[in-house]
Structure formats: structure tokens, C-alpha cells
């Protein structure tokens, strides 16, 4: 990556940090339209009786498509643990790139917040959403931990621990790993594979592919950090489920339940990220083959005619937007993790990271490009924090030499 592009990314990141200082650490969310009891009831009706339910949810869908700032009429600003984890990681990377104490202190601040906001009622550390979430299988109540959230928190504590070696952070990491082992059920899918539940509820469903990918990564990492063979055994069975769920064309559906069969951008990236990280730990050749097939599908099917991220290659329903900030954030992540291995992906990554038209003058990023205009509502979980983290990760990886030291630094 040329120095001009690196400088441009650094400018964008520093502009964002100033915006974050002004804006604060709470925000509205993608799900704000459906977080209230009334809106959840409308969504539940849609799942049970689609024709009648469509009328019930139409005011929210209309606002999402044409009046996104109306979120404030439906719900409140909140703090999101998954966003706090991304901010902690981003500031940890930034502190190592720019060698400034205040960025390290911001990373530590977010870890302290995460400790305070852990899900109550569990022996070990876990985190979920701060709102009630209506799903096809009924409501998931606020603070229910998710296997799709806790790996990011684990990584946040890990990145800061790598800087200061504070044993307090490592103790939280081990507690998160134990939570991932003890509180999520596995369902056998083949003689050597298991799919894990999305959350600890006894009535949850298995089959969500990125959920098993997240757990496989987390427990593979923890097995090495804590020399725990049991972690690795569980991780390998979840990994095998992910590998066996890949379609012949290289894609992954969202789930194997034959209902949620859509293929979308950022969930594909979640799976590729997990496989790339596991491959880096284990050198597993099956991971390598799956990544190669997955990237081939990804670059051919999840970018539009302009070579920019598109939300779906196989849609679940009609969408009210053209492009998604979350897709950009995760595309950059995958591009950094797999840099130099796939020329087509490298070319796409260099185009996507320019973020043409996405950063506003105040330093924040637009959330979506709608069918008409933009959704300019800043949402930490969707996906201000994810993009900040991925840009800081890009800077970190592109300012290191082959020995892992920062270029131009002692």
C-alpha cells in the first residue's frame, strides 16, 4: 500500500476520533426502530402472519428507507458492548502506530466499561445487546450473551494485554473462554462436527454458520493462550461444521436451517475472518482450501458493477438500501488479513478503503447509501466502531516491518 493511501487513512481515523470525543459513546442503532415493545409486537406479527404483519411494520420500514433520523422517535441512545470492544481494539492498534499514551488510555477506558456492562446472571463474562430483540423464534431479552459478540471482547482484552501485560485483562480473557465452553450448547451435525447455539437459551436454534465460526476462532485462540486441549477439541468440531457447510460454489448461507438461506456480504466476511485467523494459528490446509474457494465466490458475487460492496448475492427479502457501511468495514478487515494472497481481493481492498463519499465533514461515517440519499445517523454498532477498528488495523499492519516492529520506530 502506498504512503499516500496510508496517510489518507490516518487522517480519516484521527478525524473520526475527534468526532467520537464530541458525539459520545452512546448512539441509536440499526434495531432502534424495533426495540420498543410495540414495535417488537409488530415484528412478531410479521413473522407469524406475514400479510397482516407487513402492514404493522410498514411505518418502521418506511422510516428506515426514507427518514432514518426518525429512530429517535422509536427508541433511545444506548451503549453497545460490541462497539466498545471494537473501539478498544481500534485505540489499542492506534496507540501502537502513533505511540501516544492517550490512545492506550482510551483502549483501557473501554475495557473498564466492558467489565462494568457484562451480562448479569452468569458465572463467567459475556455480553449481548442492550435492547430486546424480536426474532423468528421469539424475543431475545436484553443482556443475553451472544457467541457473535464475545469473541470481539476477547480480542479487545487480548490486544491491550499485548501492550501492558496486565494480568487482570488475561483473567477476563480466560473467563470469556470458559463462558464460550460452558454456556453454549452444541448440536452434532456429522461424526466430527458440531454446530453451536447462538446464545445460551435452551430454546435457541443451531445452524447459524458465523456463530460456529466465531466460537471456533475464540476457542482456538484460547487453547493456545491457556494451553487447554479441551478448548481446541470443541473448536475443531465447530470448525468442521463451518467447513462442511460451505457450498460447492464457495459460498456460505447464513444458516443451514433451510429457512435463512440468504448469502450476504458481512456475514460472509465474518466466516472468512474466522477461518483466516484459525489458519494463522494452526496452518490447517482445510482452512486454506475453504478460504480460497470462499474468496473466489466473494470477489465474483458480492461486489456491484462499480466494484464496490453490495449487501447480498442471494437476498432474503426486498432491501431498502444500496450499500452498507458494515460491508465496507468487514471488506477492509478481510483484505488486511489476506493481503498479498489474492490479487483480485487486493485490488478490491485498495478501492474500498478509499471510502469515497462515506466520511462526513464532522469525521463520522454515513451508515447506509439508501435507494434515495443516505442514512447519516451515526450508529456505533452499525458500523462506526467496526470501520474505525478496521482502519486502525490497516494502519497497524501497514506500518510494521517483517519483524513486527513499527516502521520508522525504535
Amino acid at each position: 500500500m502506498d504512503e499516500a493511501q496510508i496517510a489518507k487513512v490516518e487522517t480519516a481515523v484521527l478525524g473520526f476520533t475527534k468526532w467520537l470525543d464530541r458525539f459520545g459513546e452512546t448512539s441509536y442503532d440499526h434495531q432502534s426502530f424495533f426495540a420498543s415493545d410495540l414495535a417488537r409486537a409488530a415484528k412478531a406479527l410479521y413473522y407469524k402472519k406475514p400479510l397482516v404483519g407487513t402492514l404493522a411494520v410498514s411505518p418502521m420500514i418506511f422510516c428506515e428507507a426514507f427518514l432514518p433520523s426518525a429512530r429517535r422517535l422509536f427508541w433511545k441512545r444506548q451503549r453497545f458492548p460490541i462497539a466498545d470492544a471494537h473501539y478498544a481494539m481500534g485505540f489499542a492498534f492506534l496507540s501502537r502506530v502513533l505511540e501516544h499514551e492517550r490512545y492506550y488510555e482510551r483502549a483501557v477506558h473501554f475495557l473498564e466499561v466492558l467489565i462494568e456492562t457484562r451480562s448479569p446472571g452468569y458465572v463467567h463474562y459475556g455480553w449481548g445487546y442492550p435492547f430486546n430483540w424480536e426474532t423468528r423464534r421469539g424475543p431475545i431479552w436484553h443482556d443475553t450473551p451472544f457467541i457473535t459478540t464475545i469473541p470481539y471482547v476477547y480480542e479487545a482484552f487480548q490486544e491491550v494485554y499485548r501492550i501492558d501485560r496486565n494480568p487482570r485483562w488475561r483473567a477476563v480473557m480466560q473467563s470469556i473462554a470458559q463462558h464460550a465452553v460452558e454456556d453454549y450448547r452444541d448440536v452434532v451435525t456429522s461424526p466430527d462436527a458440531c454446530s453451536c447455539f447462538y446464545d445460551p437459551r435452551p430454546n435457541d436454534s443451531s445452524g447459524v454458520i458465523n456463530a460456529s465460526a466465531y466460537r471456533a476462532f475464540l476457542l482456538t485462540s484460547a487453547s493456545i493462550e491457556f494451553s487447554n486441549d479441551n478448548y481446541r477439541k470443541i473448536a475443531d468440531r465447530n470448525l468442521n461444521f463451518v467447513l462442511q457447510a460451505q457450498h460447492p460454489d464457495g459460498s456460505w448461507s447464513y444458516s443451514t436451517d433451510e429457512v435463512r438461506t440468504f448469502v450476504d456480504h458481512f456475514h460472509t466476511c465474518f466466516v472468512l475472518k474466522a477461518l483466516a485467523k484459525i489458519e494463522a494459528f494452526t496452518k490447517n490446509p482445510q482452512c486454506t482450501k475453504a478460504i480460497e474457494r470462499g474468496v473466489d465466490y466473494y470477489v465474483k458475487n458480492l461486489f456491484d458493477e462499480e466494484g464496490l460492496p453490495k449487501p447480498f448475492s442471494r437476498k432474503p427479502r426486498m432491501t431498502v438500501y444500496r450499500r452498507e457501511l458494515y460491508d465496507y468495514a468487514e471488506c477492509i478487515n478481510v483484505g488486511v488479513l489476506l493481503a498479498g494472497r489474492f490479487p483480485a481481493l487486493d485490488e478490491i481492498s485498495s478501492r474500498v478503503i478509499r471510502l469515497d463519499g462515506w466520511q462526513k465533514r464532522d469525521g463520522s461515517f454515513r451508515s447506509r447509501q439508501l435507494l434515495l440519499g443516505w442514512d447519516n445517523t451515526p450508529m456505533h454498532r452499525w458500523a462506526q466502531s467496526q470501520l474505525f477498528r478496521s482502519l486502525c488495523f490497516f494502519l497497524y499492519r501497514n506500518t510494521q516491518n517483517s519483524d513486527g516492529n513499527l516502521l520508522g520506530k525504535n
Side-chain angles (χ1 to χ4, degrees), residues 80-305:
F80 299 91
I82 194 171
D84 291 332
H86 279 91
Y87 284 135
M89 281 188 279
F91 280 111
F93 289 132
L94 199 58
S95 74
R96 298 171 79 174
V97 171
L98 300 182
E99 296 188 339
H100 201 299
E101 185 74 11
R102 74 165 178 256
Y103 299 126
Y104 161 74
E105 292 172 352
R106 287 298 300 276
V108 169
H109 159 73
F110 282 106
L111 296 193
E112 297 286 3
V113 167
L114 285 163
I115 289 173
E116 293 174 3
T117 57
R118 60 177 287 195
S119 296
Y122 293 85
V123 173
H124 296 292
Y125 280 80
W127 293 263
Y129 292 163
F131 52 80
N132 299 325
W133 181 24
E134 193 67 34
T135 72
R136 292 180 181 276
R137 296 178 64 84
I140 302 177
W141 304 115
H142 66 85
D143 296 323
T144 299
F146 292 144
I147 198 62
T148 55
T149 293
I150 62 171
Y152 291 118
V153 184
Y154 179 93
E155 285 186 289
F157 281 91
Q158 182 180 58
E159 289 302 332
V160 179
Y161 177 70
R162 287 171 174 169
I163 296 172
D164 62 16
R165 313 306 289 182
N166 186 333
R168 185 182 176 209
W169 312 143
R170 192 170 187 269
V172 176
M173 290 163 57
Q174 188 158 26
S175 181
I176 294 170
Q178 279 299 118
H179 167 66
V181 168
E182 296 176 11
D183 293 322
Y184 298 84
R185 289 177 56 197
D186 274 314
V187 174
V188 175
T189 57
S190 78
D192 64 346
C194 288
S195 168
C196 80
F197 276 28
Y198 197 96
D199 63 65
R201 297 174 304 153
N203 65 334
D204 187 30
S205 63
S206 62
V208 176
I209 294 167
N210 75 92
S212 291
Y214 275 120
R215 190 167 183 241
F217 152 67
L218 168 57
L219 292 180
T220 299
S221 178
S223 73
I224 297 168
E225 180 69 36
F226 300 106
S227 301
N228 189 312
D229 290 339
N230 185 49
Y231 291 171
R232 180 65 183 273
K233 291 176 183 177
I234 297 170
D236 283 349
R237 294 186 68 83
N238 287 157
L239 171 62
N240 288 339
F241 166 73
V242 174
L243 296 175
Q244 292 166 18
Q246 189 174 26
H247 297 304
D249 64 3
S251 68
W252 288 274
S253 300
Y254 175 78
S255 175
T256 59
D257 61 8
E258 298 184 357
V259 176
R260 296 166 291 180
T261 57
F262 61 88
V263 178
D264 72 312
H265 197 111
F266 63 81
H267 285 107
T268 297
C269 290
F270 292 165
V271 176
L272 286 172
K273 282 194 311 181
L275 293 180
K277 293 173 185 178
I278 294 169
E279 180 197 42
F281 286 132
T282 66
K283 311 304 180 187
N284 185 331
Q286 291 181 297
C287 278
T288 303
K289 291 179 182 178
I291 291 168
E292 290 171 350
R293 293 169 56 212
V295 168
D296 183 65
Y297 179 89
Y298 177 62
V299 299
K300 290 178 179 177
N301 295 278
L302 282 162
F303 295 87
D304 62 21
E305 63 279 357

Side-chain angles (χ1 to χ4, degrees), residues 345-363:
L345 179 60
D346 289 341
E347 181 181 350
I348 286 169
S349 298
S350 66
R351 180 167 53 248
V352 170
I353 203 167
R354 292 198 294 264
L355 295 168
D356 293 335
W358 283 90
Q359 189 164 28
K360 298 187 292 182
R361 289 185 178 182
D362 65 3

Side-chain angles (χ1 to χ4, degrees), residues 370-386:
L370 303 172
L371 299 178
L372 294 173
W374 294 85
D375 182 345
N376 288 316
T377 305
M379 296 179 281
H380 288 315
R381 187 181 75 93
W382 208 274
Q384 305 288 325
S385 64
Q386 286 86 350

Side-chain angles (χ1 to χ4, degrees), residues 1 5 9 295 298-299 303 307-309 328-340 342-355 391 394 398:
M1 190 65 65
Q5 183 62 67
V9 171
V295 168
Y298 177 62
V299 299
F303 295 87
L308 297 172
Y328 279 68
E330 295 306 331
C331 176
I332 293 168
N333 265 322
V334 169
V336 174
L337 284 169
L338 299 176
F342 304 97
L345 179 60
D346 289 341
E347 181 181 350
I348 286 169
S349 298
S350 66
R351 180 167 53 248
V352 170
I353 203 167
R354 292 198 294 264
L355 295 168
L391 294 177
F394 167 86
N398 282 278

